[in-house]
Amino acid sequence: MTNDLKRNGVLAGTTSQLISRRDDGSEPTTVRIMKGLYDHGYEQGIRRGSPVAVKQDEENLVHHARASARENVAIPYDPDRHPEDAMRERLYRERNAEKEELLDHGRFAQARARDMNGRAAQVRFGDERPEPNVLLTNPATGILTAGFTPALHDFLPMEDEPTRWAISFIFAFMAGIFVTWSIMTCGPKGERTSASRGGLIAGFILAASTAVIRLGAARDAGDVIIGVGLTLLELGAIIALEFIARDHASAVQEWSRRKDISDEASATHGAAVDEVTRIKDRVKEIDEENAKHLAYVEDRNFRAAHAADLEESCARAVLDGYHAGVAEVAARLKGVRS
């Protein structure tokens, strides 16, 4: 009978297949066996179609259940005897070794993350790039405008005085802004640029040009003195702007240096945090895989140590299923007759 049941695919597989076969660990093998036998008995009871239990069916089902139990219990977990168990044991030990290495690396990554976080907090003193001090640059622009305006007034060949002064002021103001902000320009890291050097040179050229215009239009010594004084005032403003620009460039350089350090520390901190997260996820996976392995070993050894109990439980399970199927058939027949 057992051979017939095997040929019909009722019983499980061979002993080696039973060793290697395993589901996701969500349910012990013994529970799966008894559930399968119960379902098998129920199907046999339904298929028989009899409202009462047939003794021959019960004997065949019990014989099948005991054979299935013996096929699934007499295989104790032993890595020294079974190659499949040896492979499982080797993988289990490899996972534990990997876990220990990950935990050591994780402690180092956590310490590095804390260190980088503290370092980033220490060096960062503001996210905004330093801007020029308008309390210093605006007066310099005003001085240059005041110096350039009379020279342009004397240069323009216009008879309408209000228009002449207005145009002179507009061009002088634009020239003052151009010189001021060209000199104040610096690169992203605080380095001096061609624009800043060009602005300084342009400022000296404009001061020299207005000096020539004033001296050319001078009628007496008083005009010469005034012209020289305005020129010196313009030169003083330009030189002051150069020193202000250097201080501003130094501030930007310091800000950029500290920002680079902070950004590097933040990036390293982020990488360390990601590494810690990855390690925790992998350790969790290893723990879950090890838990499944230990449950598998415990289940295998339990089935090996309780063979007789499992046979009786399997026999009861298949008979319970068979009787449930017979009862279902009887209930159906009774409903039809009524």
Side-chain angles (χ1 to χ4, degrees), residues 140 142-144 146-147 207 214 227-239:
I143 292 172
L144 293 176
R214 293 190 193 97
V228 172
L230 290 174
T231 300
L232 292 175
L233 186 64
E234 294 164 358
L235 292 174
I238 293 169
I239 293 172

Side-chain angles (χ1 to χ4, degrees), residues 14 47 65 75 79 84 109 167 201 233 257 269 284 295:
T14 63
R47 187 179 297 113
I75 313 167
E84 295 87 349
I167 295 175
I201 295 172
L233 186 64
R257 183 188 66 82
H269 172 260
K284 182 179 178 182

